[in-house]
């Protein structure tokens, strides 16, 4: 399985959909809530500030859930 990517609570796809080489996640300029979810892992949540007209890279790691 691949981690799902949410922006402002809306599913955008899975992490592999946005590899940064040929495909990017287009997000409007401004402040957004980023969340990565994967069954068996603690969700990663972060606030990101997107600048208009620029490409930004986000890197994060999911930690295994103790449940």
């Amino acid at each position: 399985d691949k981690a799902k990517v949410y922006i402002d609570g809306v599913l955008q796809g899975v992490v592999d959909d946005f590899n940064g080489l040929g495909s990017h996640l287009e997000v409007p300029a401004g402040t957004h809530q980023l969340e990565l979810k994967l069954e068996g892992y603690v969700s990663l949540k972060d606030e990101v500030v997107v600048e208009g007209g620029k490409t930004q890279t986000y890197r994060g790691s999911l930690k295994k859930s103790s449940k």
Side-chain angles (χ1 to χ4, degrees):
D1 286 347
K2 303 291 181 184
K4 294 178 181 173
V5 178
Y6 294 81
I7 298 290
D8 299 326
V10 178
L11 178 63
Q12 304 295 315
V14 296
V15 291
D16 284 358
D17 291 342
F18 316 110
N19 62 17
L21 299 174
S23 57
H24 302 277
L25 176 56
E26 297 286 332
V27 179
T31 302
H32 300 278
Q33 296 300 316
L34 168 70
E35 186 170 8
L36 302 178
K37 295 182 181 182
L38 179 60
E39 185 77 29
Y41 290 79
V42 177
S43 293
L44 184 150
K45 298 178 184 179
D46 203 357
E47 183 176 275
V48 294
V49 178
V50 177
E51 296 180 52
K54 293 189 176 184
T55 299
Q56 294 171 236
T57 300
Y58 183 89
R59 286 189 171 79
S61 297
L62 295 175
K63 294 180 172 59
K64 283 218 178 233
S65 175
S66 59
K67 296 180 184 178

